[in-house]
Amino acid sequence: MKAIAYQHSLPITDPLSLQDVDLPAPQAQGHDLLVEVKAIAVNPVDHKIRQGVQPEPGQWKVLGWDAAGVVRAVGEQVTRFKVGDRVWYAGAIDRPGSYAELQLVDEHLVGALPARLDFATAAALPLTTITAWELLFERLGVPQGGGQGQSLLVIGAAGGVGSILVQLARQLTQLTVIASASRPETEAWVRELGAHHVVNHRRPLAEEIQRLGLPAPQLVASLTETGQHFAQIVELLAPQGKLALIDDLQPGELDAMALKRKSLSLHWEMMFTRSLFNTADKLRQGELLSEAARLVDAGTLRSTVGEHFGRINASNLRRAQALQESGTARGKIVLEGF
């Protein structure tokens, strides 16, 4: 099968950082589906793994944790899907990824593809939808239909996760949604997705909230540059508020003692936790993807495609990862076909 992979952690400008290769096709066993990958999306985790994980000597590592495709074979224990089903998923970080024509994925992590979306438009959604859903409803504990009288500040709202989180909060809760964006085009984007208010995270956040005449938010989702914003978040959060994080921090960037005076709580979200630890509730990820598909088909949620970078090959993926690394991508970057 065709695949795009790497053997050495190199800068994305190096032609060897991602290469077109031929690898053996995998075989479905147990609870695995063998999926013919039709489209993929690029996420920050892709370049973080490429930069930080060195494959074993002589081995190829295949990245990619967003895919939409068609089931071509099933393991003997599979019960949820059959050959020919159209599916979407983010998969597991400790298995070969979706930069390949064929991929094995545990059926529990897979959902039925929205009927109204093509493969490329659908591929933009799985990882960010799972992350945003778990962050909002499970980590922050906001019930669907709840949150009346509370507000949620989403820092970095124009990125992949933020673009879904704003929609979920606006469509499925009664929260007041405050989105942060720093450019005119990203401000317009988050307003289009449903944000009630927009602040600029390049300015002091507490002052931005006060400028709009808003009370202190009870909930903050910090999706990027948390180390830079942490002191400001502690300052602006209402007493007994909740902070949820997804981004990686450097040593010393987060002083948890700063949360004590206000009795603030800290919540980490990593969508790969369930698959990494084979938790008893890992089926929840497949279920929520199927639930999200129903919301997409009902017109409640929309895809967050920002740019389509063409076919799935090394050259286009190097371009996509370069844009992702720049921190200026709006929405999701998708690629389609081999």
Side-chain angles (χ1 to χ4, degrees), residues 1-275:
M1 66 176 183
K2 294 179 181 178
I4 295 85
Y6 75 99
Q7 289 186 316
H8 306 283
S9 295
L10 298 168
I12 197 60
T13 52
D14 192 313
L16 299 182
S17 61
L18 291 172
Q19 300 180 57
D20 294 302
V21 298
D22 286 312
L23 297 177
Q27 303 296 315
Q29 296 180 331
H31 283 284
D32 279 344
L33 310 177
L34 180 66
V35 177
E36 179 187 354
V37 175
K38 296 292 190 179
I40 63 173
V42 174
N43 292 284
V45 65
D46 298 16
H47 67 78
K48 290 177 182 178
I49 295 295
R50 192 197 82 248
Q51 293 167 339
V53 177
Q54 183 72 32
E56 293 294 322
Q59 298 298 307
W60 293 100
K61 186 166 184 62
V62 179
L63 302 170
W65 291 280
D66 254 335
V70 178
V71 177
R72 292 306 182 204
V74 299
E76 67 278 4
Q77 297 179 39
V78 168
T79 60
R80 300 182 64 239
F81 297 95
K82 65 183 184 303
V83 172
D85 284 348
R86 292 166 22 114
V87 295
W88 62 347
Y89 55 91
I93 200 170
D94 56 349
R95 302 187 72 179
S98 56
Y99 291 10
E101 286 184 293
L102 297 169
Q103 182 184 11
L104 291 177
V105 60
D106 186 332
E107 65 168 331
H108 299 94
L109 308 177
V110 175
L113 197 77
R116 68 185 295 173
L117 297 186
D118 59 30
F119 289 112
T121 311
L125 291 172
L127 184 146
T128 51
T129 298
I130 295 170
T131 301
W133 193 291
E134 291 182 350
L135 184 152
L136 181 62
F137 299 122
E138 299 180 16
R139 310 298 172 237
L140 290 177
V142 179
Q144 291 192 42
Q148 186 175 16
Q150 294 187 311
S151 61
L152 166 69
L153 170 61
V154 182
I155 300 174
V161 174
S163 295
I164 290 294
L165 182 56
V166 168
Q167 293 185 70
L168 291 176
R170 180 61 187 265
Q171 296 293 335
L172 301 185
T173 78
Q174 298 184 58
L175 292 167
T176 296
V177 183
I178 309 166
S180 89
S182 61
R183 293 175 284 146
E185 60 268 31
T186 53
E187 177 178 345
W189 172 254
V190 296
R191 288 191 187 279
E192 184 181 343
L193 294 174
H196 293 96
H197 307 280
V198 182
V199 297
N200 189 333
H201 52 251
R202 300 303 177 199
R203 301 171 185 159
L205 290 170
E207 293 179 13
E208 285 286 278
I209 297 293
Q210 293 169 4
R211 176 180 61 82
L212 294 173
L214 300 173
Q218 293 82 11
L219 307 169
V220 171
S222 185
L223 309 179
T224 184
E225 298 180 342
T226 297
Q228 297 181 30
H229 299 303
F230 183 69
Q232 297 179 53
I233 293 169
V234 173
E235 176 187 357
L236 67 88
L237 256 172
Q240 303 181 85
K242 297 179 179 181
L243 167 61
L245 313 178
I246 66 168
D247 58 329
D248 298 329
L249 299 177
Q250 299 300 316
E253 283 191 315
L254 192 154
D255 176 14
M257 280 301 297
L259 306 175
K260 181 177 180 180
R261 187 166 180 266
K262 286 186 175 179
S263 296
L264 305 177
S265 58
L266 180 66
H267 307 262
W268 282 103
E269 161 57 23
M270 181 178 175
M271 65 135 289
F272 294 116
T273 296
R274 282 174 158 138
S275 56

